[in-house]
Amino acid sequence: YFDKKIPQAKVDPKEEPLIEMTYEIWAKVKKSMLEYDPRSALSEIWKAVTAANQFVEEKKPWALAKDPAKKEKLARTLYVLAEFLSHAAVILLAFTPNTAKKILERLNLSPSWTIQSDDDYAKPLAPIDQEVERGDPLFPRLEELDEVK
């Protein structure tokens, strides 16, 4: 889709719950980590990952791509997902550095990020027209793992 590039889309974070949730993760994770509670920090991250999975299931980008009249909706969906993935990867660097780096590499973003403040985190990280790379699943489905055994 979109020549493997992050599409331009008009997205108001207050109108898109996944973007709003994405920008709020930092403060929640930071609070948990300052309380020496990495389990809660990871729980907040995985809540957002679950919301992103639900977003994909609801929006069905594969179906949107089949209808030229829904190109703008597809662009918005893919942009939101790129934003989520870039932010999730940055925050996951502290927990799963290898996987986080793979996500950032597929988005062609630098794996060396330093977030200094809530404001640094709550801004777009996925550049428009940035080429993205396809790859094998980073988190295979449990069914797929069972088939390998």
Side-chain angles (χ1 to χ4, degrees), residues 70-87:
K70 295 184 178 174
K71 187 175 182 177
E72 188 174 320
K73 190 172 184 179
L74 175 62
R76 179 184 169 101
T77 299
L78 295 178
Y79 175 79
V80 168
L81 288 170
E83 269 302 294
F84 172 79
L85 286 170
S86 59
H87 282 81

Side-chain angles (χ1 to χ4, degrees), residues 3-133:
D3 298 321
K4 298 182 183 179
K5 294 181 180 178
I6 297 172
Q8 183 167 357
K10 294 181 182 182
V11 178
D12 180 353
K14 298 203 184 311
E15 293 178 8
E16 185 53 67
L18 183 58
I19 290 286
E20 191 170 22
M21 177 182 260
T22 298
Y23 291 165
E24 291 172 354
I25 296 170
W26 176 262
K28 292 176 181 180
V29 170
K30 182 175 78 172
K31 179 181 181 292
S32 294
M33 294 305 289
L34 289 172
E35 294 171 354
Y36 302 100
D37 189 359
R39 181 175 291 189
S40 290
L42 281 168
S43 175
E44 291 298 332
I45 295 167
W46 294 127
K47 282 182 199 174
V49 168
T50 299
N53 282 334
Q54 290 171 340
F55 177 84
V56 170
E57 291 299 321
E58 290 169 10
K59 300 296 182 179
K60 297 179 176 34
W62 56 91
L64 295 174
K66 293 178 183 178
D67 185 350
K70 295 184 178 174
K71 187 175 182 177
E72 188 174 320
K73 190 172 184 179
L74 175 62
R76 179 184 169 101
T77 299
L78 295 178
Y79 175 79
V80 168
L81 288 170
E83 269 302 294
F84 172 79
L85 286 170
S86 59
H87 282 81
V90 167
I91 209 160
L92 283 169
L93 281 167
F95 300 95
T96 59
N98 292 336
T99 300
K101 285 179 184 175
K102 287 178 185 176
I103 295 168
L104 292 168
E105 287 169 0
R106 289 182 186 177
L107 293 170
N108 283 309
L109 298 172
S110 170
S112 55
W113 284 85
T114 304
I115 302 294
Q116 300 290 331
S117 68
D118 294 354
D119 289 338
D120 279 353
Y121 190 80
K123 64 181 180 183
L125 298 180
I128 302 300
D129 288 332
Q130 178 77 28
E131 192 165 325
V132 297
E133 297 174 16

